[in-house]
Amino acid sequence: MSLVSDSALRRALARARDGKALDVTEVTVLLHARGEHLDALLDHASRVRDAGLRAVGREGIITYSKKVFIPLTRLCRDRCGYCTFATAPHKLPAPFLSPDEVLEIARQGAAMGCKEALFTLGDRPEDRWHQARSWLEAHGYDDTLSYVRAMAIRVLEETGLLPHLNPGVLTWRDLQRLKPVAPSMGMMLETTSRRLFEEKGEAHYGSPDKDPAVRLRVLEDAGRTNVPFTTGILIGIGETVEDRAESIFAIRRVAREYGGIQEVIVQNFRAKPDTAMRGLPDASLEELAATIAVARLVLGPRVRIQAPPNLVDSEYALMIRAGIDDWGGVSPLTPDHVNPERPWPQISLLETRTAESGFQLRERLTIYPEYVLAGEPWLDPRLFGHVAALADPATGLALPDAELRGLPWQEPDGGFAPSGRVDLHVEVDTSGRTHDRRDDFDHVYGDWTALRDRLPPTSPDPTPSPATPSPATPSPAPLSPAPLSSAMPSPIAPSDGAGSDRAARVAPGTAAGVPAVPAPGARVAEGTGAAAVSPDARPAGVTGGGTPGEVRRALRRAAADPGGLSDAEAVALLAAEGEALDELAAIADDLRRQAVGDEVTYVVNRNINFTNVCYTGCRFCAFAQRRTDADAYTLSLDQVADRAQEAWDAGATEVCMQGGIHPDLPGTAYFDLARAVKERTPGMHVHAFSPMEVINGASRTDMSIQAWLEAAKEAGVDSLPGTAAEILDDDVRWVLTKGKLPAKEWVEVITTAHKVGIPTTSTMMYGHVDNHLHWVRHIKLIRSLQERTGGFSEFVLLPFVHTSAPIYLAGIARPGPTAQENRAVHALARILLHGAIKNIQCSWVKLRDDLCREVLQGGVNDLGGTLMEETISRMAGSENGSYKTISELREMVEVTGRPVRQRTTEYGVPTDERLAASEASDGVCKSVRRVLPMA
């Protein structure tokens, strides 16, 4: 460890004492504190810890969890140089513990009063060991995580213990699968040092799951999925002191942005025989204490910090002085399988040593008290009963005398019971929404201040510009982000510890959920790994940015070779104005005429949004509500079927069903909805369920995407809306939404749907925190998917509606695209998709009628549907109504001189009976018609 000057230490300690923000350099200095400087550092950290405990009503309490270790498998695909847990198949009696062995450990633990079952296992052993793969296949499991999920359910049902899952690196979808069976999960970050991962002979070399970028992505995805998550750092494995500082800041950033880090473990390396690192010296306990204290200062009072008590020798008091408030899991039954040479202290001894430092030892559950008390969205409803049986409802801590007994793991009660404002689809056009935002606005979307850090400091003012289409009444001015102390992702607030997130340096691009095309021209914010996505960010590699000469050259290329447009040329066209914009529209309209002729089409359909209860945290969505919010509602199956019947009687050929990700809906909900509509109206085309809903359904039923889609098709789903696409670039998506599916998952759902014979639409929502090159690459990706599958029926452009969108109210997004951009992007979509997707649709819900007419003269051939009840955009502030009659659609198109034709979902011709019924109703059922006052 390099030395630092005494004066540097004193300056850093003074700043820590005064609660000043520390940068990574100052934190690195503090990690060198020893002697009197270490004493001062520990005093400062203790004060921060004590303030945090007072704030949550646990002053003078240090917690622990009584648990059993369940080493489900000791096989692993990684080769870490310090690990004695992972081994080879020939050294084990079987690749996995059997269900009987799992349950025997759990039962013994329950008999001894344990409340946590810690599932410990290696990362995806079937990828490396054929014995693991064969065992899983022989026992009917698709992969290790399927077995983990099944065993977690068995433990819940047969013992009452609460599973805490440590299966290593997890994807966003893995977290969706496992959240319903475990109140908490975990994975140590260990370090952000890439050297330890990339250089031969270092601790993580040859271990694919120890890539720091991958592990940070897991922490982020856990936060996006609202999973209470345990992580931490491992010191003494060859990392530098600077690496330690950067690792702490990396954890702080995730904790602050998503609020899901329930505890941070600071663990010291202890050398073990028979490992590649057996000759390395142990990290000293003074080093450990200094690191804990620095972590406390950086992470702040609200983050729980733990030191494993079996690794600190007898220095319990030192660790308490350093700022811990938890001892982690302690087992009276099973050894620490990761550090088997270090036995757990007796709980009575731990209680005595804690008391000697003036603290009371209290038992907690695997899910920390803050999350127990917060409930949704952190705890899945299927686990409510299991946690409630063991938790003190006042404190969230463990009930000392709780009875441990198995409880059924099943779908929550409620399901499709009608509730709330079920007439919102009508009232949204009269009385409107109750409030302009949800009651939990300040925390359900993550921390707004941290989110703003993903944007460059030069982001444009989001105030509407004169060129922006706006409603008749002025939209509210954007709100300033809430201050750090109050913008609190429930239940854990962003740290107000001393530290600057921008000081944490991680490999650029690591924040995206999946590898994606980097946000062009956007700077990478130091410490976030996320590309900044300013609406007017200068696209890298695109010269000129749409100068008149570049626009003219791009227009010539578009006319001669539409499919040959480069990214730079396409971006230039999006800057076209005046005569150039008119020429772009004319080129697009010529291509439209070649592809589909002059007809303007529409479908008579009804939107049925069966619930708006949702905790996904999409920051652009003003539709989603908590179950307790004034505007929340859920329809019953009968109500859904009644609305489908009304639509059929009015001549509809399609219902479009989408809803919030309601935690109470059963796993079969989507199948039930499709069957309800088909049983009542057998001839109705069911256009239903976005890719996000598909993922939710597959996760809840533990089915593969393909199997789920095949079941949905059998239940009556005829096609899928290609919504939830927004912009298919994760750097944009993770600003737009806290927890929606990554771009890769959207692509997988869509291509799988096409594979099983379910056609879909394709969409793009634009004009928020994106830039023009995002639009171009999104459209080109849609084209490439169509060339692979041929399953898209149309491309729908969805301008961002800003008025009540949370991300706009927080002052982060701009107020939608300008009129010029709307004209240009509709025309460009026709040009870039020429020869691949015939139908380009505009959204009358989001565009004024006059702008719809303009884009109809610039490549668009379809107006979408009559809708009958459009609630989602209306909740966001669209003032274009919730339905349009056939007469209104015809009137809109009349001035263009083009013929108007009713179509089916597949762009065919409806039957004479359907046409007659729709003419009689004018395409809209009576129950939703606006009643005009008498003159």
Side-chain angles (χ1 to χ4, degrees):
M1 181 179 290
S2 60
L3 298 178
V4 298
S5 69
D6 184 78
S7 59
L9 269 167
R10 292 186 183 280
R11 281 195 301 272
L13 284 167
R15 289 180 61 81
R17 177 199 63 210
D18 297 339
K20 300 289 182 62
L22 304 173
D23 62 25
V24 72
T25 302
E26 292 166 323
V27 165
T28 301
V29 168
L30 290 176
L31 286 168
H32 290 83
R34 299 294 183 270
E36 65 173 323
H37 294 315
L38 179 59
D39 289 336
L41 177 64
L42 302 187
D43 288 343
H44 302 332
S46 291
R47 285 197 295 272
V48 174
R49 184 264 323 281
D50 294 344
L53 290 176
R54 280 194 300 273
V56 295
R58 293 203 301 275
E59 186 171 8
I61 291 175
I62 289 180
T63 51
Y64 79 103
S65 174
K66 189 184 290 188
K67 69 183 177 186
V68 291
F69 270 76
I70 299 178
L72 195 65
T73 178
R74 291 181 59 197
L75 301 181
C76 183
R77 70 176 182 174
D78 294 321
R79 298 173 172 84
C80 298
Y82 48 78
C83 182
T84 58
F85 178 75
T87 188
H90 71 272
K91 297 181 180 180
L92 297 172
F96 291 85
L97 293 182
S98 69
D100 288 344
E101 290 171 316
V102 169
L103 290 171
E104 180 59 24
I105 295 171
R107 289 190 185 105
Q108 289 182 33
M112 300 180 75
C114 297
K115 298 179 179 66
E116 173 185 344
L118 171 59
F119 282 77
T120 304
L121 58 150
D123 275 84
R124 304 184 189 274
E126 66 271 31
D127 289 355
R128 177 181 177 189
W129 302 107
H130 70 85
Q131 295 93 335
R133 188 164 54 252
S134 298
W135 190 97
L136 291 167
E137 291 171 355
H139 290 78
Y141 299 101
D142 293 334
D143 53 22
T144 295
L145 295 184
S146 294
Y147 188 46
V148 170
R149 191 179 194 273
M151 290 302 96
I153 293 172
R154 292 284 299 274
V155 166
L156 285 164
E157 292 194 324
E158 300 189 32
T159 73
L161 293 181
L162 301 178
H164 175 84
L165 307 182
N166 275 355
V169 166
L170 297 169
T171 66
W172 179 89
R173 196 191 307 171
D174 293 335
L175 289 158
Q176 299 282 325
R177 290 171 64 192
L178 295 177
K179 179 177 178 176
V181 305
S184 61
M185 300 181 220
M187 182 205 69
M188 294 286 283
L189 171 63
E190 298 192 10
T191 180
T192 55
S193 171
R194 297 203 63 80
R195 177 178 54 82
L196 298 189
F197 173 67
E198 294 172 347
E199 293 186 11
K200 191 172 183 178
E202 297 294 348
H204 292 153
Y205 184 77
S207 300
D209 298 298
K210 294 305 173 80
D211 184 338
V214 170
R215 297 179 86 78
L216 281 170
R217 190 264 302 154
V218 175
L219 302 190
E220 292 180 318
D221 282 348
R224 291 165 184 145
T225 313
N226 297 314
V227 172
F229 206 76
T230 294
T231 191
I233 63 172
L234 182 58
I235 69 169
I237 57 173
E239 82 288 357
T240 65
V241 178
E242 291 81 2
D243 292 333
R244 292 179 197 172
E246 291 172 357
S247 299
I248 295 168
F249 276 108
I251 292 173
R252 180 187 188 272
R253 178 183 61 79
V254 177
R256 181 178 170 219
E257 184 164 349
Y258 300 103
I261 301 297
Q262 67 165 1
E263 69 176 325
V264 175
I265 303 169
V266 182
Q267 182 173 331
N268 47 323
F269 167 76
R270 308 301 295 254
K272 300 174 179 62
D274 301 323
T275 66
M277 295 174 61
R278 58 188 177 272
L280 258 67
D282 290 352
S284 74
L285 295 181
E286 281 192 325
E287 278 185 88
L288 178 61
T291 307
I292 291 170
V294 164
R296 172 57 70 198
L297 292 172
V298 172
L299 297 172
R302 297 177 180 90
V303 173
R304 312 277 74 88
I305 296 180
Q306 173 205 133
N310 59 323
L311 301 182
V312 301
D313 296 339
S314 59
E315 295 290 347
Y316 300 96
L318 181 63
M319 303 310 145
I320 291 173
R321 284 186 61 210
I324 68 160
D325 48 21
D326 188 81
W327 286 119
V330 178
S331 178
L333 174 67
T334 52
D336 179 351
H337 287 279
V338 178
N339 298 282
E341 78 286 0
R342 298 278 174 173
W344 298 111
Q346 294 293 316
I347 292 173
S348 58
L349 173 64
L350 192 61
E351 186 174 20
T352 299
R353 292 302 181 88
T354 303
E356 289 171 355
S357 292
F359 287 82
Q360 179 187 0
L361 186 67
R362 289 285 303 275
E363 185 185 1
R364 60 166 172 84
L365 302 179
T366 179
I367 176 173
Y368 268 73
E370 292 86 343
Y371 297 88
V372 172
L373 297 175
E376 289 178 328
W378 301 101
L379 187 61
D380 189 279
R382 281 168 283 195
L383 298 171
F384 281 176
H386 301 85
V387 171
L390 305 179
D392 182 331
T395 66
L397 293 168
L399 284 170
D401 55 352
E403 178 187 358
L404 277 154
R405 58 187 177 87
L407 296 172
W409 181 86
Q410 58 190 20
E411 300 295 349
D413 294 333
F416 284 108
S419 64
R421 199 176 175 188
V422 296
D423 292 328
L424 183 63
H425 67 294
V426 176
E427 294 174 353
V428 74
D429 282 336
T430 54
S431 56
R433 60 184 300 155
T434 305
H435 306 291
D436 73 339
R437 68 194 71 194
R438 288 166 56 149
D439 292 342
D440 56 353
F441 178 90
D442 285 341
H443 54 76
V444 71
Y445 306 104
D447 176 53
W448 291 115
T449 305
L451 185 67
R452 180 174 284 279
D453 285 346
R454 286 183 176 267
L455 301 172
T458 55
S459 290
D461 189 323
T463 305
S465 66
T468 303
S470 57
T473 56
S475 60
L479 304 178
S480 299
L484 183 61
S485 59
S486 63
M488 186 166 122
S490 178
I492 302 297
S495 167
D496 49 8
S500 166
D501 287 334
R502 291 187 179 273
R505 293 186 294 276
V506 186
T510 61
V514 294
V517 178
R523 286 171 287 176
V524 176
E526 192 174 21
T528 67
V533 284
S534 166
D536 64 352
R538 177 84 174 158
V542 179
T543 59
T547 65
E550 290 169 336
V551 172
R552 285 194 297 273
R553 287 191 293 273
L555 286 168
R556 290 195 294 271
R557 171 61 70 89
D561 180 18
L565 281 174
S566 68
D567 287 1
E569 290 166 330
V571 169
L573 291 176
L574 288 170
E577 296 178 322
E579 292 182 0
L581 181 56
D582 292 340
E583 184 178 349
L584 176 66
I587 293 169
D589 225 31
D590 285 343
L591 294 175
R592 183 266 306 160
R593 197 171 294 109
Q594 293 175 34
V596 293
D598 283 334
E599 286 182 331
V600 176
T601 52
Y602 66 91
V603 63
V604 176
N605 65 348
R606 182 171 192 168
N607 284 357
I608 303 177
N609 303 123
F610 45 88
T611 183
N612 65 353
V613 175
C614 188
Y615 293 87
T616 300
C618 293
R619 301 177 178 114
F620 60 85
C621 180
F623 179 67
Q625 305 289 304
R626 293 183 303 177
R627 68 174 81 239
T628 55
D629 287 340
D631 292 330
Y633 73 88
T634 298
L635 303 180
S636 69
L637 288 174
D638 284 342
Q639 288 173 319
V640 170
D642 289 345
R643 294 189 185 191
Q645 183 67 61
E646 282 187 342
W648 181 262
D649 294 343
T653 55
E654 169 194 302
V655 292
C656 177
M657 291 195 295
Q658 299 179 88
I661 307 301
H662 194 317
D664 281 358
L665 291 183
T668 59
Y670 302 111
F671 307 149
D672 297 338
L673 285 161
R675 289 191 187 100
V677 172
K678 285 292 189 180
E679 287 171 4
R680 186 73 67 85
T681 56
M684 188 75 80
H685 182 105
V686 175
H687 181 63
F689 314 134
S690 72
M692 181 66 191
E693 291 169 289
V694 172
I695 290 284
N696 182 51
S699 299
R700 284 177 172 271
T701 54
D702 199 28
M703 300 170 71
S704 69
I705 288 175
Q706 180 167 334
W708 192 93
L709 287 167
E710 289 169 344
K713 186 177 180 181
E714 183 178 348
V717 173
D718 298 300
S719 61
L720 299 185
T723 49
E726 297 26 296
I727 292 291
L728 291 171
D729 182 311
D730 284 337
D731 287 332
V732 177
R733 296 177 76 78
W734 296 141
V735 175
L736 278 179
T737 175
K738 178 185 175 185
K740 214 166 196 176
L741 75 172
K744 183 178 73 172
E745 304 291 345
W746 188 93
V747 169
E748 183 175 352
V749 170
I750 290 295
T751 54
T752 305
H754 296 172
K755 176 182 176 182
V756 302
I758 301 176
T760 75
T761 61
S762 55
T763 65
M764 180 176 78
M765 188 187 74
Y766 60 96
H768 30 73
V769 296
D770 47 7
N771 65 43
H772 287 174
L773 193 48
H774 289 124
W775 305 0
V776 169
R777 290 183 172 170
H778 179 103
I779 297 169
K780 287 190 172 186
L781 174 58
I782 294 296
R783 181 185 181 102
S784 71
L785 295 176
Q786 180 74 340
E787 289 170 345
R788 283 168 48 194
T789 69
F792 289 130
S793 58
E794 66 222 58
F795 181 64
V796 187
L797 292 114
L798 304 171
F800 172 57
V801 178
H802 69 281
T803 310
S804 295
I807 197 169
Y808 174 76
L809 295 177
I812 293 173
R814 64 172 173 141
T818 64
Q820 174 273 330
E821 287 178 307
N822 278 315
R823 286 187 64 197
V825 74
H826 281 78
L828 184 65
R830 169 62 70 185
I831 291 168
L832 292 179
L833 296 174
H834 182 62
I837 297 178
K838 289 184 177 181
N839 301 298
I840 306 297
Q841 182 186 122
C842 68
S843 172
W844 60 258
V845 174
K846 301 173 186 294
L847 298 174
R848 301 187 310 260
D849 285 6
D850 59 342
L851 198 48
C852 284
R853 281 189 282 269
E854 289 195 68
V855 299
L856 280 171
Q857 297 175 80
V860 169
N861 69 293
D862 189 75
L863 291 172
T866 57
L867 302 186
M868 302 195 198
E869 53 176 278
E870 201 298 315
T871 313
I872 295 175
S873 294
R874 293 288 289 115
M875 287 285 281
S878 168
E879 296 204 345
N880 297 313
S882 57
Y883 67 82
K884 277 201 183 293
T885 63
I886 294 173
S887 298
E888 288 170 329
L889 292 175
R890 287 172 176 165
E891 183 181 354
M892 185 195 304
V893 178
E894 185 177 10
V895 297
T896 69
R898 288 166 58 186
V900 183
R901 175 177 72 83
Q902 184 178 334
R903 62 168 174 86
T904 64
T905 306
E906 303 93 339
Y907 285 80
V909 178
T911 65
D912 290 342
E913 181 274 332
R914 291 289 81 201
L915 290 170
S918 62
E919 283 292 332
S921 70
D922 209 10
V924 177
C925 59
K926 290 182 180 179
S927 67
V928 303
R929 288 289 195 102
R930 291 180 289 270
V931 178
L932 299 177
M934 296 183 65

